[in-house]
Amino acid sequence: MKKHFLLLGFLIASFTAGFTTSLSAQTPSKEAVLKVEGEVLKTLSISISDFAKMPHVEANMKDRDGKIQQYSGVPVIEILKQAGVTLGKDLKGENLTKYMLVRASDGYEVLFSLAELDPVFTNRVIILADKKDGKPLENGIGPFRLVVPDENRPARSVHEVSHFIIRFAKE
Amino acid sequence: MQIESHYKKLTLLLVLVAAGIFTAATDISPLYVDPYKLEYPDYFGNRISIPEDNPTTKQGVYLGRMLFYETKLSSSQTISCASCHQQKFAFTDGKAFSSGIDNMRTKRNSMSLANLLWVRNFFWDGRAKGLEDQAKFPLNDPHEMGGYLEKAVKILQQTKEYPPLFREAFGTAEITSDKITKAIAQFERTLISANSNYDKYLRGEYNPTEQELNGMELFMNSPRPEKNIRGANCAQCHGTPKMYMELFHNNGLDTEPKDIGREEFTGMENDRGRFRVATLRNIALTAPYMHDGRFKNLDEVLDHYNEHIKPSKSLSISLKNVSNNLDGEKLGLTANEKSDIISFLKMLTDSTFITDPKFSDPHLKKVTTN
């Protein structure tokens, strides 16, 4: 008797388990967002549509085969300004030991010092791109990718960017 | 002068009395824990995770090892962590799916527990942050250990052996579920595997065979047919001496995966069929392979990467159109090249790790209930 109840319970459990998985596969999945957090005045969570409304610029980079590719997107510095990161005249003293960790949705991570991003220090404009040749980026690369011009290896031009995390370097 | 020193004595006396009352009242014995020195090669790097509130100590590690092998933590009193994580299989169990209490099958393949000190997101889908948090999952899972943690706390409290071990590790004999997971996590941090032939090679103490060397080259290289460089591109994901990078990828097992992997946890479509890149250390000991144990041996794994990558929207771009042939779609390794890669993978077996008495079952004498 007890065995039967167990079996029944198990069947119900596996049925509902199967049911919830198929449900979750049907419900529209979450939309990708860019999160900006850490040492910021305001954490941001920017959706694809909000991102599209921000002022865009163009940037070029070489792909792995050395061909020049043109992207359109928002300068990283503008996104960080919106979050209230210490930039421009505030980027001095201990703030010069701050960095931005870029994280992709597959877990890939790379790092930039804030001074590498700020026009007070450099003329190179790094953008977070959402379009290439006027079209959204392809699966596995978009919706957001970093475009870092003038680098010999594209390893920091991260695909599928999901987070900008600002932190102090702790020795 | 005289008076001052009298005052000093008096204060000292008061402090001692107060401390005495305090210890008696709260059962806190002064902690004399010895730090456990975690030893590992420099090439593993120091990006390790140890929470501030759970430093690794000799006493904590020993208690954790006792608990790791403790069947009293399961509702049936038959299953311990070690049932599904056996030292001789590099802490896996040789099955496609493990069985927990009442032979219920787990949803996924058991994972090897080696070099967890460097992992930050645990499980095939990365859903647990930190080892302390991870340990709660099997303990509370109805299929694995029967959701018995709160009762196990009471049962262990009744034993002769455990309360003193908790006192030595954490200062009080009171057992809590929090302390159980902390101690287990401490033990797991000591499971470091760094003495394989590959490690000996990195230290300059081992001369690889021709096959092993060729397999290593292929494993590390990306194929560049236009430059006559042959490669298997494995290091793109399983690179660095730790033999994994903490990344989540869809490695082309299915076009429509039955187990959606990380998507279930993040709700993001681009995570469909993505799983954590598994470590390849001791890989020859941990068959069957992949999150569902679908491949019986390493030959089948190599055939998969070489010939059977299934396309899908979330397939990793490191596995799309990567080929040793100009304009090829498949990897295009020869049979000899595949077997050379397997020779290299066998170099990752660490026989000291699977025989180290520090990691073995410490329950030499049976624990008795009062």
Side-chain angles (χ1 to χ4, degrees):
Chain A
M1 193 59 206
K2 208 175 157 201
K3 271 257 161 69
H4 282 115
F5 267 115
L6 269 180
L7 188 66
L8 188 70
F10 182 64
L11 281 176
I12 293 174
S14 36
F15 177 75
T16 39
F19 186 64
T20 40
T21 5
S22 59
L23 250 187
S24 70
Q26 274 163 24
T27 42
S29 57
K30 269 195 237 163
E31 204 204 352
V33 291
L34 170 75
K35 293 212 164 107
V36 186
E37 55 192 49
E39 298 278 344
V40 296
L41 292 181
K42 194 169 130 216
T43 53
L44 302 179
S45 181
I46 307 174
S47 67
I48 299 176
S49 47
D50 287 345
F51 190 87
K53 287 181 210 137
M54 296 171 73
H56 278 48
V57 299
E58 311 253 289
N60 294 329
M61 63 170 280
K62 282 197 198 126
D63 64 12
R64 267 177 217 278
D65 304 326
K67 269 188 265 161
I68 300 273
Q69 308 283 338
Q70 199 171 55
Y71 289 87
S72 145
V74 178
V76 170
I77 189 81
E78 297 303 326
I79 302 170
L80 299 188
K81 273 186 201 158
Q82 278 200 12
V85 176
T86 50
L87 295 163
K89 62 176 174 25
D90 296 327
L91 190 43
K92 61 183 176 208
E94 61 176 17
N95 289 339
L96 280 168
T97 66
K98 278 184 191 161
Y99 62 85
M100 174 176 80
L101 185 72
V102 179
R103 185 178 294 153
S105 61
D106 67 1
Y108 188 70
E109 291 174 333
V110 302
L111 181 144
F112 294 84
S113 72
L114 284 190
E116 275 185 283
L117 305 164
D118 193 327
V120 169
F121 287 80
T122 172
N123 296 325
R124 174 170 78 169
V125 180
I126 298 174
I127 69 167
L128 185 68
D130 59 346
K131 287 198 178 72
K132 185 182 162 197
D133 306 325
K135 283 186 271 219
L137 302 174
E138 57 184 286
N139 289 318
I141 295 187
F144 305 119
R145 85 165 290 180
L146 220 53
V147 174
V148 189
D150 305 324
E151 257 175 30
N152 295 334
R153 278 184 64 200
R156 290 207 296 179
S157 291
V158 181
H159 300 155
E160 293 185 290
V161 172
S162 63
H163 288 80
F164 287 167
I165 302 164
I166 313 296
R167 297 239 187 272
F168 272 114
K170 291 217 179 85
E171 222 217 320
Chain B
M1 192 66 204
Q2 276 282 358
I3 299 176
E4 206 176 291
S5 92
H6 274 309
Y7 269 128
K8 266 189 192 153
K9 275 181 197 152
L10 199 65
T11 338
L12 188 69
L13 189 72
L14 274 174
V15 168
L16 282 176
V17 169
I21 293 171
F22 185 67
T23 4
T26 55
D27 174 42
I28 294 178
S29 60
L31 264 181
Y32 294 109
V33 284
D34 311 305
Y36 184 106
K37 194 155 182 288
L38 293 160
E39 283 177 60
Y40 51 85
D42 293 339
Y43 51 72
F44 278 2
N46 294 313
R47 202 183 187 196
I48 59 176
S49 305
I50 303 175
E52 260 167 44
D53 66 351
N54 193 24
T56 322
T57 65
K58 284 185 183 149
Q59 289 80 355
V61 169
Y62 180 71
L63 172 60
R65 182 172 150 214
M66 289 286 285
L67 294 167
F68 187 87
Y69 285 93
E70 183 53 75
T71 53
K72 285 194 171 70
L73 293 178
S74 69
S75 59
S76 60
Q77 314 275 298
T78 54
I79 303 287
S80 71
C81 308
S83 312
C84 304
H85 300 287
Q86 299 171 28
Q87 186 179 11
K88 63 175 177 200
F89 298 127
F91 295 97
T92 60
D93 61 0
K95 299 179 189 155
F97 298 101
S98 318
S99 33
I101 51 152
D102 303 325
N103 286 326
M104 289 218 246
R105 268 178 24 152
T106 53
K107 190 175 150 200
R108 295 191 181 131
N109 183 240
S110 173
M111 299 175 85
S112 171
L113 308 183
N115 304 337
L116 299 177
L117 188 55
W118 290 266
V119 177
R120 285 173 300 153
N121 299 284
F122 292 89
F123 287 124
W124 284 108
D125 54 8
R127 66 187 182 282
K129 279 223 182 290
L131 277 169
E132 285 77 4
D133 187 31
Q134 189 284 329
K136 292 180 194 137
F137 285 77
L139 288 166
N140 287 320
D141 187 306
H143 300 333
E144 293 191 17
M145 300 173 81
Y148 200 62
L149 187 51
E150 289 313 320
K151 282 204 193 108
V153 165
K154 295 201 182 94
I155 291 183
L156 295 187
Q157 193 78 65
Q158 314 275 302
T159 58
K160 275 209 181 79
E161 283 80 354
Y162 276 105
L165 291 177
F166 276 84
R167 185 199 305 276
E168 275 169 36
F170 297 112
T172 76
E174 188 208 353
I175 299 177
T176 63
S177 55
D178 197 44
K179 286 185 198 162
I180 291 179
T181 52
K182 277 185 171 167
I184 292 177
Q186 288 190 37
F187 170 62
E188 289 176 298
R189 292 198 171 92
T190 68
L191 301 175
I192 294 170
S193 174
N195 201 26
S196 65
N197 279 348
Y198 180 59
D199 295 289
K200 290 176 191 153
Y201 160 76
L202 291 175
R203 298 197 297 256
E205 297 162 10
Y206 176 80
N207 258 335
T209 65
E210 210 175 298
Q211 282 80 5
E212 287 170 342
L213 266 182
N214 190 40
M216 193 187 310
E217 283 278 297
L218 289 163
F219 184 94
M220 301 300 170
N221 287 341
S222 299
R224 304 292 294 268
E226 72 285 0
K227 291 190 176 161
N228 262 329
I229 299 175
R230 297 194 62 85
N233 217 23
C234 314
Q236 192 79 29
C237 297
H238 298 282
T240 80
K242 293 199 291 283
M243 291 295 141
Y244 74 88
M245 294 192 264
E246 197 162 317
L247 298 174
F248 298 90
H249 276 288
N250 177 324
N251 68 340
L253 297 174
D254 303 289
T255 298
E256 282 291 336
K258 252 195 284 176
D259 181 342
I260 57 175
R262 191 157 165 83
E263 181 185 1
E264 197 178 323
F265 170 62
T266 63
M268 307 281 288
E269 207 182 328
N270 61 347
D271 285 329
R272 182 153 314 164
R274 276 186 179 166
F275 293 90
R276 206 177 84 218
V277 175
T279 179
L280 298 186
R281 284 194 166 264
N282 298 300
I283 195 71
L285 304 171
T286 65
Y289 301 111
M290 305 298 165
H291 67 273
D292 54 4
R294 66 175 66 193
F295 299 132
K296 285 194 295 297
N297 50 48
L298 291 171
D299 299 284
E300 290 186 12
V301 171
L302 265 294
D303 290 348
H304 163 72
Y305 283 111
N306 201 45
E307 291 129 53
H308 306 298
I309 296 285
K310 303 281 194 328
S312 67
K313 265 167 94 178
S314 53
L315 174 62
S316 167
I317 57 166
S318 306
L319 293 167
K320 272 186 207 162
N321 303 325
V322 177
S323 180
N324 284 290
N325 305 315
L326 282 172
D327 298 319
E329 284 180 359
K330 295 191 170 158
L331 199 46
L333 299 170
T334 65
N336 276 339
E337 287 174 325
K338 286 194 276 184
S339 81
D340 287 354
I341 293 174
I342 294 177
S343 307
F344 167 65
L345 293 178
K346 289 186 177 155
M347 266 179 87
L348 300 169
T349 301
D350 178 353
S351 51
T352 41
F353 180 65
I354 57 166
T355 51
D356 193 331
K358 284 202 303 283
F359 307 147
S360 66
D361 190 346
H363 293 269
L364 299 174
K365 53 180 184 320
K366 245 186 108 45
V367 176
T368 46
T369 311
N370 290 339

Short mmCIF file of all heavy atoms in Angstrom, two decimals, chain B residues 275-307:
data_model
loop_
_atom_site.label_atom_id
_atom_site.label_comp_id
_atom_site.label_asym_id
_atom_site.label_seq_id
_atom_site.Cartn_x
_atom_site.Cartn_y
_atom_site.Cartn_z
N PHE B 275 26.04 24.70 -20.33
CA PHE B 275 26.48 24.09 -19.07
C PHE B 275 27.86 24.59 -18.75
O PHE B 275 28.56 25.11 -19.63
CB PHE B 275 26.48 22.56 -19.22
CG PHE B 275 25.09 21.99 -19.38
CD1 PHE B 275 24.54 21.84 -20.64
CD2 PHE B 275 24.33 21.68 -18.26
CE1 PHE B 275 23.25 21.36 -20.80
CE2 PHE B 275 23.04 21.19 -18.42
CZ PHE B 275 22.50 21.03 -19.68
N ARG B 276 28.25 24.42 -17.48
CA ARG B 276 29.58 24.91 -17.10
C ARG B 276 30.64 24.05 -17.76
O ARG B 276 30.51 22.83 -17.83
CB ARG B 276 29.77 24.91 -15.58
CG ARG B 276 30.80 25.94 -15.18
CD ARG B 276 30.98 26.03 -13.69
NE ARG B 276 31.90 25.02 -13.25
CZ ARG B 276 31.77 24.32 -12.13
NH1 ARG B 276 30.77 24.54 -11.34
NH2 ARG B 276 32.67 23.43 -11.81
N VAL B 277 31.68 24.69 -18.24
CA VAL B 277 32.80 23.96 -18.81
C VAL B 277 33.42 23.14 -17.68
O VAL B 277 33.87 23.68 -16.68
CB VAL B 277 33.84 24.92 -19.42
CG1 VAL B 277 35.06 24.15 -19.89
CG2 VAL B 277 33.22 25.73 -20.54
N ALA B 278 33.41 21.82 -17.85
CA ALA B 278 33.86 20.94 -16.77
C ALA B 278 35.38 20.86 -16.77
O ALA B 278 36.02 21.01 -17.81
CB ALA B 278 33.26 19.56 -16.96
N THR B 279 35.95 20.60 -15.60
CA THR B 279 37.40 20.41 -15.54
C THR B 279 37.74 19.08 -16.20
O THR B 279 36.98 18.11 -16.12
CB THR B 279 37.93 20.41 -14.09
OG1 THR B 279 39.35 20.20 -14.15
CG2 THR B 279 37.31 19.33 -13.23
N LEU B 280 38.88 19.02 -16.88
CA LEU B 280 39.29 17.76 -17.49
C LEU B 280 40.33 17.05 -16.63
O LEU B 280 40.86 16.01 -17.01
CB LEU B 280 39.81 17.99 -18.91
CG LEU B 280 38.77 18.58 -19.87
CD1 LEU B 280 39.33 18.64 -21.28
CD2 LEU B 280 37.47 17.80 -19.86
N ARG B 281 40.61 17.60 -15.46
CA ARG B 281 41.54 16.89 -14.56
C ARG B 281 40.91 15.56 -14.14
O ARG B 281 39.72 15.49 -13.87
CB ARG B 281 41.88 17.76 -13.37
CG ARG B 281 42.85 18.84 -13.79
CD ARG B 281 43.49 19.54 -12.64
NE ARG B 281 44.63 20.31 -13.15
CZ ARG B 281 45.89 19.88 -13.13
NH1 ARG B 281 46.20 18.71 -12.61
NH2 ARG B 281 46.86 20.63 -13.63
N ASN B 282 41.73 14.52 -14.15
CA ASN B 282 41.30 13.15 -13.81
C ASN B 282 40.18 12.65 -14.72
O ASN B 282 39.41 11.77 -14.34
CB ASN B 282 40.83 13.08 -12.35
CG ASN B 282 41.96 13.43 -11.39
OD1 ASN B 282 42.97 12.74 -11.39
ND2 ASN B 282 41.81 14.49 -10.63
N ILE B 283 40.11 13.18 -15.94
CA ILE B 283 38.98 12.88 -16.80
C ILE B 283 38.90 11.39 -17.15
O ILE B 283 37.80 10.85 -17.31
CB ILE B 283 38.99 13.78 -18.07
CG1 ILE B 283 37.66 13.74 -18.78
CG2 ILE B 283 40.13 13.45 -19.01
CD1 ILE B 283 36.54 14.45 -18.07
N ALA B 284 40.05 10.71 -17.21
CA ALA B 284 40.01 9.27 -17.54
C ALA B 284 39.31 8.47 -16.45
O ALA B 284 38.88 7.34 -16.68
CB ALA B 284 41.43 8.75 -17.76
N LEU B 285 39.15 9.06 -15.26
CA LEU B 285 38.53 8.34 -14.14
C LEU B 285 37.05 8.66 -13.97
O LEU B 285 36.39 8.07 -13.11
CB LEU B 285 39.23 8.71 -12.81
CG LEU B 285 40.74 8.49 -12.72
CD1 LEU B 285 41.28 9.12 -11.45
CD2 LEU B 285 41.03 7.00 -12.74
N THR B 286 36.52 9.63 -14.72
CA THR B 286 35.20 10.15 -14.37
C THR B 286 34.12 9.84 -15.39
O THR B 286 33.10 10.53 -15.45
CB THR B 286 35.25 11.68 -14.10
OG1 THR B 286 35.57 12.35 -15.32
CG2 THR B 286 36.26 12.04 -13.04
N ALA B 287 34.30 8.79 -16.21
CA ALA B 287 33.26 8.38 -17.16
C ALA B 287 31.99 7.99 -16.38
O ALA B 287 32.11 7.61 -15.21
CB ALA B 287 33.76 7.20 -17.98
N PRO B 288 30.82 8.02 -16.95
CA PRO B 288 30.51 8.54 -18.28
C PRO B 288 30.49 10.08 -18.30
O PRO B 288 30.50 10.69 -17.24
CB PRO B 288 29.11 7.97 -18.54
CG PRO B 288 28.51 7.82 -17.19
CD PRO B 288 29.64 7.46 -16.28
N TYR B 289 30.46 10.64 -19.51
CA TYR B 289 30.74 12.07 -19.66
C TYR B 289 29.52 12.92 -20.04
O TYR B 289 28.56 12.43 -20.60
CB TYR B 289 31.83 12.26 -20.71
CG TYR B 289 33.09 11.54 -20.30
CD1 TYR B 289 33.53 10.41 -20.99
CD2 TYR B 289 33.81 11.96 -19.19
CE1 TYR B 289 34.68 9.73 -20.59
CE2 TYR B 289 34.95 11.28 -18.77
CZ TYR B 289 35.39 10.17 -19.48
OH TYR B 289 36.50 9.50 -19.08
N MET B 290 29.65 14.20 -19.74
CA MET B 290 28.68 15.28 -19.97
C MET B 290 27.62 15.29 -18.86
O MET B 290 27.55 14.38 -18.05
CB MET B 290 28.00 15.21 -21.35
CG MET B 290 29.00 15.18 -22.51
SD MET B 290 30.00 16.69 -22.57
CE MET B 290 31.33 16.18 -23.68
N HIS B 291 26.79 16.35 -18.84
CA HIS B 291 25.85 16.56 -17.73
C HIS B 291 24.85 15.42 -17.58
O HIS B 291 24.26 15.25 -16.53
CB HIS B 291 25.11 17.88 -17.92
CG HIS B 291 24.17 17.87 -19.09
ND1 HIS B 291 24.58 18.19 -20.37
CD2 HIS B 291 22.87 17.54 -19.19
CE1 HIS B 291 23.56 18.07 -21.20
NE2 HIS B 291 22.50 17.68 -20.52
N ASP B 292 24.67 14.65 -18.69
CA ASP B 292 23.72 13.53 -18.61
C ASP B 292 24.41 12.19 -18.81
O ASP B 292 23.75 11.18 -19.02
CB ASP B 292 22.61 13.71 -19.65
CG ASP B 292 23.15 13.93 -21.05
OD1 ASP B 292 24.39 13.86 -21.24
OD2 ASP B 292 22.36 14.17 -21.97
N GLY B 293 25.74 12.20 -18.75
CA GLY B 293 26.50 10.95 -18.85
C GLY B 293 26.26 10.21 -20.15
O GLY B 293 26.34 8.99 -20.20
N ARG B 294 26.04 10.94 -21.25
CA ARG B 294 25.64 10.27 -22.49
C ARG B 294 26.81 9.56 -23.19
O ARG B 294 26.56 8.65 -24.00
CB ARG B 294 25.01 11.26 -23.46
CG ARG B 294 25.97 12.31 -23.96
CD ARG B 294 25.32 13.19 -25.01
NE ARG B 294 24.24 14.00 -24.43
CZ ARG B 294 23.36 14.66 -25.16
NH1 ARG B 294 23.40 14.58 -26.48
NH2 ARG B 294 22.44 15.39 -24.59
N PHE B 295 28.04 9.97 -22.94
CA PHE B 295 29.18 9.32 -23.60
C PHE B 295 29.89 8.38 -22.64
O PHE B 295 30.31 8.78 -21.57
CB PHE B 295 30.17 10.37 -24.14
CG PHE B 295 29.57 11.30 -25.16
CD1 PHE B 295 29.74 12.67 -25.07
CD2 PHE B 295 28.81 10.80 -26.21
CE1 PHE B 295 29.18 13.53 -26.01
CE2 PHE B 295 28.25 11.66 -27.16
CZ PHE B 295 28.43 13.02 -27.06
N LYS B 296 30.04 7.13 -23.09
CA LYS B 296 30.60 6.09 -22.21
C LYS B 296 32.10 6.24 -22.04
O LYS B 296 32.64 5.86 -21.02
CB LYS B 296 30.32 4.70 -22.81
CG LYS B 296 28.89 4.24 -22.63
CD LYS B 296 28.75 2.75 -22.92
CE LYS B 296 29.03 2.36 -24.37
NZ LYS B 296 28.08 2.96 -25.35
N ASN B 297 32.78 6.75 -23.07
CA ASN B 297 34.25 6.82 -22.98
C ASN B 297 34.77 8.03 -23.75
O ASN B 297 34.01 8.73 -24.43
CB ASN B 297 34.86 5.52 -23.52
CG ASN B 297 34.28 5.17 -24.87
OD1 ASN B 297 34.20 6.02 -25.77
ND2 ASN B 297 33.85 3.93 -25.03
N LEU B 298 36.09 8.24 -23.67
CA LEU B 298 36.67 9.43 -24.29
C LEU B 298 36.65 9.35 -25.81
O LEU B 298 36.61 10.39 -26.48
CB LEU B 298 38.10 9.64 -23.76
CG LEU B 298 38.16 10.07 -22.29
CD1 LEU B 298 39.60 10.07 -21.77
CD2 LEU B 298 37.54 11.47 -22.09
N ASP B 299 36.65 8.13 -26.37
CA ASP B 299 36.53 8.03 -27.83
C ASP B 299 35.23 8.67 -28.29
O ASP B 299 35.20 9.40 -29.28
CB ASP B 299 36.55 6.55 -28.27
CG ASP B 299 37.85 5.89 -27.89
OD1 ASP B 299 38.85 6.15 -28.56
OD2 ASP B 299 37.86 5.16 -26.88
N GLU B 300 34.15 8.38 -27.57
CA GLU B 300 32.85 8.96 -27.96
C GLU B 300 32.88 10.49 -27.82
O GLU B 300 32.28 11.20 -28.63
CB GLU B 300 31.73 8.39 -27.09
CG GLU B 300 31.44 6.93 -27.39
CD GLU B 300 30.22 6.38 -26.63
OE1 GLU B 300 29.45 7.17 -26.03
OE2 GLU B 300 30.05 5.16 -26.64
N VAL B 301 33.58 10.99 -26.79
CA VAL B 301 33.68 12.45 -26.62
C VAL B 301 34.41 13.06 -27.81
O VAL B 301 33.95 14.04 -28.40
CB VAL B 301 34.42 12.80 -25.30
CG1 VAL B 301 34.71 14.30 -25.24
CG2 VAL B 301 33.63 12.35 -24.09
N LEU B 302 35.54 12.46 -28.19
CA LEU B 302 36.30 13.00 -29.32
C LEU B 302 35.51 12.91 -30.62
O LEU B 302 35.54 13.84 -31.44
CB LEU B 302 37.65 12.29 -29.44
CG LEU B 302 38.85 12.96 -28.75
CD1 LEU B 302 39.16 14.29 -29.43
CD2 LEU B 302 38.62 13.22 -27.28
N ASP B 303 34.76 11.81 -30.81
CA ASP B 303 33.91 11.70 -32.00
C ASP B 303 32.88 12.83 -32.01
O ASP B 303 32.59 13.41 -33.05
CB ASP B 303 33.18 10.35 -32.04
CG ASP B 303 34.14 9.20 -32.31
OD1 ASP B 303 35.30 9.48 -32.69
OD2 ASP B 303 33.74 8.03 -32.12
N HIS B 304 32.34 13.13 -30.84
CA HIS B 304 31.36 14.21 -30.75
C HIS B 304 31.97 15.53 -31.25
O HIS B 304 31.44 16.16 -32.16
CB HIS B 304 30.85 14.39 -29.31
CG HIS B 304 30.19 15.71 -29.09
ND1 HIS B 304 28.95 16.02 -29.61
CD2 HIS B 304 30.60 16.84 -28.45
CE1 HIS B 304 28.62 17.26 -29.29
NE2 HIS B 304 29.61 17.79 -28.59
N TYR B 305 33.08 15.94 -30.65
CA TYR B 305 33.65 17.23 -31.04
C TYR B 305 34.12 17.24 -32.49
O TYR B 305 34.09 18.26 -33.16
CB TYR B 305 34.83 17.60 -30.12
CG TYR B 305 34.39 18.12 -28.75
CD1 TYR B 305 34.60 17.38 -27.60
CD2 TYR B 305 33.78 19.36 -28.63
CE1 TYR B 305 34.21 17.86 -26.35
CE2 TYR B 305 33.38 19.85 -27.39
CZ TYR B 305 33.61 19.10 -26.26
OH TYR B 305 33.22 19.58 -25.03
N ASN B 306 34.54 16.08 -32.98
CA ASN B 306 35.09 16.03 -34.34
C ASN B 306 34.01 15.93 -35.41
O ASN B 306 34.15 16.48 -36.48
CB ASN B 306 36.04 14.84 -34.45
CG ASN B 306 37.03 14.99 -35.60
OD1 ASN B 306 37.59 16.08 -35.77
ND2 ASN B 306 37.21 13.93 -36.36
N GLU B 307 32.93 15.19 -35.10
CA GLU B 307 32.00 14.85 -36.18
C GLU B 307 30.53 15.17 -35.92
O GLU B 307 29.75 15.22 -36.86
CB GLU B 307 32.09 13.34 -36.48
CG GLU B 307 33.41 12.93 -37.12
CD GLU B 307 34.07 11.77 -36.40
OE1 GLU B 307 33.40 10.75 -36.20
OE2 GLU B 307 35.25 11.90 -36.01
#
